């Protein structure tokens, strides 16, 4: 265990509080105009999956657990969960649905992810910031719409709904942010 200041904590870090380990799902530093800056943490208890929210002063010391972080490659999903392989040792790790959570639609076969393990148990994973998917369904382009106008709804090949510019048609490959599914650009390939 290492003591770190609360403002340095990020998504995927593991902290110890009251003898229990928590993985951080969301971390935000809040600087009000008046008053003390604080760090808001949304965390999940590793033992039983209970979610909690905590607020710390940004300079407050927090116990950060030592977690082994390694790059793994996503292989496939089955009844046991999501299977990843360590590219150096070829060891395979099964990760439960609770750990993957809402990132599941963005996992692509062969995708490299950062997998965090504590005592050999997978506790969190971090996806690349961007992923490429095909648009399978969207509204037709309306004549006279300018490129800078409002975005239109679309469904991607992974089932996620997002907003895309009016010139994007079904069959177009687009790059989206894995954090929220937001459109970034048309894929270059």
């Amino acid at each position: 265990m290492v003591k770190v200041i609360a403002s340095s904590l990020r998504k995927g870090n593991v902290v110890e509080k009251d003898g229990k380990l928590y993985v951080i799902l969301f971390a935000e530093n809040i600087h009000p105009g008046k008053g003390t800056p604080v760090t808001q943490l949304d965390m999940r208890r590793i033992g039983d999956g209970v979610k909690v929210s905590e607020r710390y002063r940004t300079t407050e010391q927090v116990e950060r657990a030592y977690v082994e972080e390694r790059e793994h490659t996503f292989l496939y999903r089955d009844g046991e969960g999501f299977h990843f392989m360590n590219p150096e040792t070829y060891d395979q790790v099964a990760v439960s649905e609770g750990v993957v959570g809402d990132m599941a639609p963005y996992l692509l076969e062969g995708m490299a992810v950062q997998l965090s393990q504590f005592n050999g148990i997978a506790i969190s994973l971090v996806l690349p910031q961007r992923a490429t998917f095909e648009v399978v369904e969207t509204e037709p382009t309306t004549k006279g719409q300018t490129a800078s106008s409002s975005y239109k709804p679309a469904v991607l090949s992974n089932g996620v709904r997002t907003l895309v510019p009016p010139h994007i048609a079904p069959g177009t490959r687009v790059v989206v942010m894995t954090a929220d599914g937001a459109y970034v650009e048309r894929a270059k390939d």
Side-chain angles (χ1 to χ4, degrees):
M1 298 290 173
V2 179
K3 281 200 180 277
V4 296
I5 59 170
S7 62
S8 70
L9 295 172
R10 300 284 175 259
K11 179 180 177 179
N13 290 161
V14 177
V15 294
E16 184 191 5
K17 180 179 160 263
D18 305 327
K20 293 184 171 65
L21 292 174
Y22 294 84
V23 64
I24 297 173
L25 304 173
F26 177 78
E28 180 182 26
N29 292 317
I30 302 165
H31 299 278
K34 194 174 183 183
T36 312
V38 293
T39 299
Q40 173 73 36
L41 300 176
D42 291 343
M43 307 181 289
R44 184 182 70 235
R45 195 175 320 146
I46 292 172
D48 54 13
V50 173
K51 289 185 180 177
V52 295
S53 270
E54 286 288 327
R55 223 170 231 219
Y56 296 98
R57 289 189 312 279
T58 52
T59 55
E60 203 171 327
Q61 298 282 314
V62 181
E63 291 276 341
R64 184 171 169 198
Y66 174 72
V67 175
E68 184 182 359
E69 290 184 15
R70 280 232 169 85
E71 188 174 286
H72 281 68
T73 305
F74 176 62
L75 298 175
Y76 60 93
R77 176 184 186 177
D78 66 8
E80 291 179 31
F82 298 82
H83 295 266
F84 295 87
M85 179 185 69
N86 182 331
E88 296 164 11
T89 63
Y90 301 106
D91 290 339
Q92 289 191 23
V93 179
V95 178
S96 71
E97 190 130 2
V99 172
V100 176
D102 57 1
M103 294 180 273
Y106 299 104
L107 277 174
L108 295 168
E109 198 174 298
M111 179 183 272
V113 300
Q114 284 293 92
L115 187 66
S116 300
Q117 294 179 303
F118 183 78
N119 292 341
I121 300 165
I123 52 171
S124 73
L125 75 133
V126 178
L127 299 180
Q129 283 190 316
R130 299 171 177 199
T132 304
F133 296 97
E134 187 176 319
V135 175
V136 292
E137 182 184 318
T138 186
E139 296 171 0
T141 305
T142 310
K143 190 172 179 153
Q145 256 185 334
T146 61
S148 63
S149 76
S150 61
Y151 281 37
K152 62 183 181 180
V155 178
L156 303 177
S157 57
N158 62 350
V160 172
R161 294 183 173 280
T162 190
L163 294 171
V164 296
H167 66 276
I168 301 291
T172 307
R173 292 175 47 79
V174 294
V175 177
V176 296
M177 297 298 283
T178 57
D180 58 4
Y183 171 85
V184 177
E185 62 187 0
R186 180 182 274 175
K188 306 248 188 299
D189 52 7

